[in-house]
Amino acid sequence: MPDIESLLKEKRVFKPAKDFSRQANWNKKTAAEYRKLGEKNPERFWAKMAKENVSWFTPWKKTLQWKPPFAKWFVGGKLNVSYNCLDRHLEGENAWRRNKAAIIWEGEPGDSRTLTYGQLHREVCKFANVLKGLGVKKGERVALYMPMVPELAIAMLACTRIGAPHSIVFGGFSAEALRDRINDAGAKVVITSDGGFRRGAPFELKTAVDEACKGAACVEHVVVVKRTGEKTAMKAGRDQWWHELMDGASADCKPAKLDAEHPLFILYTSGTTGSPKGILHTTGGYLTHVTTTAKAIFDLKETDTYWCTADIGWITGHSYVVYGILANGATTFMYEGVPTHPGPDRFWEMIDRWKVTIFYTAPTAIRTFIRLGDEHPKGHDLSSLRLLGSVGEPINPEAWMWYHRVIGNKKCPIVDTWWQTETGGIMITPLPGAVDTKPGSGTLPFPGIHAAILDEEGKDVKPPNGGFLAITHPWPGMLRGIWGDTERYRETYWSKWKNIYFPGDGAHKDKGAYYWIMGRIDDVMNISGHRIGTMEVESAIVSHPDVAEAAVVGRPDEITGTAIVAFVTPKGNVDAGPALADKVRKQVTREIGAIAKPKDIRFTDALPKTRSGKIMRRLLRDIAAGKEGVGDTSTLEDFSVLAKIRESDED
Ligand code: PRX
């Protein structure tokens, strides 16, 4: 009896184009060599990557020390992340990068700034001295609560320069959420701004910091970046303006020589239960992982303008807006605002104007663009693009095909990258010059990553049956713990099987050994004893030409145990109603089988999402079950959506 039944069948295969493979950082030959080495001896593979891609002040003595569930990578090695992201691009054969753009930034109102590697280095050194001046010492935590402005990257790099772990709290979180995170990390300094721009208007941040600080006695200083110029209260003795502190700061600051296992950052992520977990990442292993994967998967070249649309407040932004990209000496593009301001074509207009070559975004964004209509991307010249990426959730094959056709003009490889806050860097992904892709599959584990599909007992599940995704060997970017809670670390990730990491996702392998992620285990429904991934049903629904987006949850049902409830957003010009519900059910029956046919279909013109774009299935589950109150909504993007869904039409 398989653990999770996989019913989705996708047959299309896309081979890497010859001219792409020929120029790829990792072509077929390199990829095959690395895959072989990584399979046989992951430590040797990662040691080779650490030598090739990262600069060390002192070499390590032991590649991996594994005392389950605690790993140490590159034991005895010393390095500095800001040195790797900045200084080394100003020296020796790379010295020409001094005047290369490190960050190209565009604000939502249309203002822009470019920081060369030379300029960014200077700003980082100055801000590192500001932090020292505020009394921040090696090992002390700094909280960052900022909009997407270059100062956020500057502050991160400055923290790494002096060995002060940062804890970035996404600007969309509430004052309470910020307070809890500040307290949990024991942050001494908070860096924020007066606000930022979103949907054409300024929003405030500093007031939330003031509110949070009322309950956070650990905070001694607050540094405020002036972005919007709106009136901002400053508390004497605690609050200081960024620009005033920077005015007098020295640009001379040596990077601290830090142990490979020195804490680099804490990033909070929600679990299925309890308070957010402070995921801890350290220096040497994390940097090796993100630098190597960025080079191989995004195929970064000197001439690229790389754009990852994630907010830096999430792991994707940490690893692939800032660290992995700058460590490679590449140009990272940053955008402050929403994709639909001033019009639905903002992203495409920017890709055209800045000649972006690599574009990394999330399926939820892709589905939104599909809904907005092809005319928006088609109205711009996107021919600069040469590679596309997807991250954050399973991408349904129809969205993949649209991305391939409409954005990539059928010539860009698509890298569907599976990973987590906890994994630090990408784990399962195509290598764009070497691996055939199938729409909806993350394809294969990255070389040096050992994955498996296991059942409850830890036994391999035979393809093509589904089971639990597992990582069977430690990897350099892995979390080192949950801040302040070793027991929870053990319990959440290492208690299901012995010495094997449990990511909490369901997946299956096809006969070609490709991985297909089926979503979180807690999104898996048990219908009449058959376990079905919500994502597969959603994917089937969204493959109907009249549907823009869908979210599927289970609700208790007397007869079948769980009944499938589908929240469906029709495309703009389509009428919601029984006729469409009928079509949707038929589509699911056709794509998967009658067993997956939704019992309830509720039409709605929007789905409740977090600010990072994840559908809040927990809320939908409560609504589907007819519960009166719903739980924590603090990360909900748009509150009006909930009310509308409650009133939504049932077919
Ligand atoms: O369920 C998987 C899904 O996102 C989860 C991790 O979320 P987070 O820690 O917020 O990090 C997101 C960005 C790395 C995973 O457990 N997920 C992420 N990427 C994919 C994915 N599911 C399917 N395919 C992906 N490419």
Side-chain angles (χ1 to χ4, degrees):
M1 187 68 193
D3 269 306
I4 299 164
E5 286 175 30
S6 166
L7 305 159
L8 200 68
K9 291 186 182 60
E10 173 59 52
K11 295 256 169 8
R12 291 167 285 204
V13 179
F14 295 84
K15 293 194 176 311
K18 283 211 173 64
D19 52 349
F20 190 97
S21 292
R22 221 173 286 130
Q23 61 82 59
N25 290 345
W26 285 20
N27 57 25
K28 283 194 176 155
K29 195 163 155 268
T30 332
E33 267 168 35
Y34 286 164
R35 198 173 291 290
K36 212 165 130 197
L37 176 61
E39 261 161 38
K40 220 172 79 195
N41 193 334
E43 276 85 292
R44 200 161 335 128
F45 167 77
W46 286 113
K48 187 174 162 63
M49 294 302 113
K51 257 192 209 131
E52 275 174 20
N53 302 325
V54 173
S55 304
W56 300 78
F57 297 132
T58 310
W60 61 91
K61 292 200 177 73
K62 194 170 171 28
T63 304
L64 170 67
Q65 187 193 90
W66 179 222
K67 293 185 182 153
F70 305 102
K72 287 186 177 169
W73 281 86
F74 310 116
V75 183
K78 290 208 187 305
L79 74 163
N80 183 285
V81 168
S82 84
Y83 176 87
N84 273 276
C85 290
L86 301 168
D87 306 53
R88 67 170 173 161
H89 306 310
L90 311 177
E91 299 165 353
E93 62 179 25
N94 291 327
W96 66 271
R97 285 188 189 139
R98 178 174 292 277
N99 295 323
K100 172 180 175 172
I103 297 176
I104 299 177
W105 172 85
E106 183 162 306
E108 199 190 66
D111 48 339
S112 77
R113 282 161 69 190
T114 298
L115 285 157
T116 64
Y117 273 96
Q119 290 169 322
L120 184 59
H121 176 260
R122 191 179 158 79
E123 295 298 302
V124 168
C125 288
K126 286 174 75 176
F127 197 67
N129 281 325
V130 166
L131 289 174
K132 282 189 194 169
L134 295 175
V136 178
K137 305 222 163 39
K138 186 170 134 180
E140 290 183 330
R141 278 80 57 210
V142 175
L144 277 57
Y145 183 68
M146 295 170 84
M148 282 285 280
V149 291
E151 283 79 3
L152 174 50
I154 294 167
M156 294 164 81
L157 289 159
C159 286
T160 72
R161 198 159 188 89
I162 63 171
H166 56 70
S167 165
I168 307 184
V169 180
F170 172 59
F173 280 117
S174 64
E176 293 74 33
L178 174 64
R179 180 197 59 213
D180 294 347
R181 286 161 175 76
I182 290 173
N183 281 327
D184 189 78
K188 189 169 176 175
V189 173
V190 179
I191 302 162
T192 187
S193 84
D194 52 359
F197 291 95
R198 229 182 123 74
R199 293 188 212 289
F203 65 89
E204 280 195 332
L205 278 180
K206 173 64 168 48
T207 39
V209 174
D210 292 339
E211 193 58 36
C213 283
K214 284 185 195 151
C218 50
V219 177
E220 292 173 17
H221 300 280
V222 175
V223 180
V224 188
V225 174
K226 188 169 261 179
R227 165 68 186 133
T228 62
E230 298 286 301
K231 208 166 150 20
T232 301
M234 298 289 277
K235 187 173 168 191
R238 188 194 68 187
D239 303 350
Q240 296 181 76
W241 289 104
W242 170 291
H243 58 272
E244 287 176 5
L245 289 166
M246 288 290 266
D247 246 0
S250 152
D252 190 7
C253 177
K254 295 234 159 356
K257 293 184 173 158
L258 301 170
D259 195 271
E261 283 298 331
H262 187 74
L264 179 66
F265 64 83
I266 302 165
L267 181 59
Y268 288 85
T269 185
S270 29
T272 40
T273 54
S275 56
K277 305 170 282 195
I279 303 301
L280 174 67
H281 285 287
T282 60
T283 304
Y286 171 83
L287 191 65
T288 300
H289 189 163
V290 298
T291 308
T292 305
T293 45
K295 180 176 172 181
I297 299 162
F298 300 126
D299 193 44
L300 293 171
K301 298 285 193 319
E302 297 294 357
T303 44
D304 277 315
T305 302
Y306 163 95
W307 182 17
C308 165
T309 65
D311 192 287
I312 289 177
W314 308 112
I315 190 67
T316 307
H318 284 59
S319 300
Y320 301 111
V321 175
V322 182
Y323 294 127
I325 310 306
L326 297 179
N328 276 293
T331 300
T332 190
F333 179 78
M334 254 175 95
Y335 169 60
E336 178 188 36
V338 300
T340 48
H341 184 83
D345 62 341
R346 178 64 183 263
F347 272 19
W348 320 122
E349 189 271 327
M350 281 193 293
I351 289 176
D352 185 355
R353 187 157 38 83
W354 291 105
K355 302 297 169 216
V356 170
T357 57
I358 302 169
F359 182 65
Y360 188 35
T361 196
T364 184
I366 297 168
R367 290 192 298 264
T368 304
F369 296 133
I370 296 175
R371 174 148 205 250
L372 291 169
D374 293 9
E375 65 272 25
H376 305 299
K378 284 192 172 148
H380 296 278
D381 177 8
L382 305 182
S383 61
S384 56
L385 290 172
R386 66 179 197 92
L387 188 147
L388 303 174
S390 171
V391 59
E393 19 161 358
I395 179 165
N396 46 293
E398 290 320 307
W400 195 102
M401 288 303 300
W402 182 88
Y403 202 27
H404 166 74
R405 210 177 52 244
V406 180
I407 307 306
N409 194 23
K410 300 187 186 164
K411 74 175 174 79
C412 300
I414 296 180
V415 290
D416 173 7
T417 61
W418 177 87
W419 58 296
Q420 307 178 293
T421 304
E422 292 88 340
T423 68
I426 295 168
M427 303 290 278
I428 297 178
T429 176
L431 294 168
V435 173
D436 295 357
T437 52
K438 300 180 188 176
S441 169
T443 73
L444 301 169
F446 190 77
I449 301 296
H450 291 196
I453 310 285
L454 302 180
D455 66 12
E456 201 61 65
E457 277 76 51
K459 287 202 202 75
D460 279 307
V461 170
K462 275 209 184 75
N465 290 331
F468 302 109
L469 180 62
I471 309 296
T472 56
H473 191 81
W475 67 101
M478 69 187 263
L479 76 164
R480 298 302 196 266
I482 294 176
W483 186 259
D485 199 342
T486 305
E487 209 25 63
R488 193 171 176 200
Y489 168 68
R490 232 186 249 282
E491 174 59 34
T492 311
Y493 305 109
W494 304 96
S495 63
K496 194 169 192 73
W497 312 291
K498 192 167 185 302
N499 303 346
I500 291 175
Y501 173 79
F502 172 57
D505 280 3
H508 72 97
K509 266 200 260 187
D510 64 18
K511 296 241 160 75
Y514 273 30
Y515 284 75
W516 299 76
I517 309 295
M518 296 153 71
R520 302 290 303 172
I521 293 299
D522 44 16
D523 288 338
V524 171
M525 303 169 294
N526 189 324
I527 315 291
S528 306
H530 299 275
R531 294 175 70 178
I532 295 169
T534 49
M535 174 261 150
E536 294 195 291
V537 183
E538 288 165 8
S539 198
I541 297 174
V542 175
S543 71
H544 191 279
D546 289 346
V547 174
E549 201 167 28
V552 164
V553 296
R555 68 159 169 79
D557 185 275
E558 273 177 21
I559 297 167
T560 54
T562 302
I564 298 177
V565 183
F567 293 85
V568 176
T569 309
K571 286 222 176 109
N573 51 351
V574 176
D575 282 338
L580 182 57
D582 189 42
K583 284 188 203 164
V584 166
R585 288 200 176 91
K586 285 209 172 100
Q587 181 81 0
V588 175
T589 308
R590 196 160 45 238
E591 292 282 311
I592 303 180
I595 181 156
K597 205 165 65 175
K599 186 148 190 178
D600 307 348
I601 293 177
R602 295 175 71 158
F603 294 108
T604 165
D605 56 17
L607 294 168
K609 290 184 188 166
T610 62
R611 290 277 292 267
S612 70
K614 280 205 174 14
I615 293 171
M616 296 182 76
R617 286 203 178 66
R618 185 174 47 76
L619 300 184
L620 290 176
R621 268 197 292 269
D622 288 351
I623 293 172
K627 284 193 191 146
E628 272 313 307
V630 285
D632 180 14
T633 53
S634 59
T635 55
L636 187 63
E637 154 91 297
D638 180 356
F639 282 91
S640 66
V641 168
L642 273 194
K644 282 193 210 141
I645 292 183
R646 284 188 186 288
E647 297 156 16
S648 62
D649 295 325
E650 298 201 38
D651 65 290

